[in-house]
Amino acid sequence: MRLRRVTERPPSMCKELLEPLSNEARIAYVEHVEATNTTIFIDPIELAPPVREHLKMLRIEAEKLHAEGAFGSGMGCGGRINAWIKLEMKVRHQIDWRTPWEMNPGCAFD
């Protein structure tokens, strides 16, 4: 299983992530993970160009807000940033985006 090889995640987690996707979306997802050499799962909707662009712009905005101290500092600020991005994706674009924490249960990010 190509996804497991790159992410080193259990086969059951890889299957659960890929199963609801179309065959084309599965291939695109696995190719993205291989190309970026990431070891964490991302929400598959991130591969859609409009969603990717919205996330890019919100991440830039979040970086500015973070620099201004809006999310605090130290442990937990990454979670606050992603919670803000998730909320803004829903409010501004009506997109239900899953954060890295939601996509990777059991992983510690901060």
Side-chain angles (χ1 to χ4, degrees):
M1 180 172 230
R2 290 167 52 193
L3 185 59
R4 182 187 184 332
R5 190 176 21 231
V6 177
T7 64
E8 297 183 1
R9 296 307 192 81
S12 60
M13 287 181 80
C14 296
K15 181 181 179 190
E16 182 180 332
L17 173 73
L18 295 175
E19 202 166 47
L21 304 178
S22 69
N23 195 46
E24 295 82 19
R26 287 181 196 144
I27 292 168
Y29 190 89
V30 172
E31 288 175 349
H32 170 79
V33 170
E34 289 174 336
T36 59
N37 203 33
T38 186
T39 58
I40 63 169
F41 293 152
I42 63 166
D43 190 333
I45 67 169
E46 290 186 38
L47 299 182
V51 175
R52 184 175 33 232
E53 189 60 31
H54 295 319
L55 280 170
K56 178 182 174 185
M57 299 309 293
L58 285 171
R59 285 177 175 140
I60 290 169
E61 190 175 342
E63 284 178 28
K64 290 177 186 173
L65 290 170
H66 183 245
E68 296 168 2
F71 303 111
S73 62
M75 296 288 285
C77 72
R80 288 187 292 276
I81 290 169
N82 279 303
W84 179 84
I85 292 171
K86 179 182 181 79
L87 177 63
E88 294 302 312
M89 286 290 284
K90 183 65 173 176
V91 170
R92 295 184 193 184
H93 308 292
Q94 295 73 51
I95 296 172
D96 291 312
W97 171 71
R98 293 176 288 172
T99 69
W101 285 264
E102 292 171 306
M103 293 302 302
N104 299 277
C107 287
F109 288 90
D110 278 339

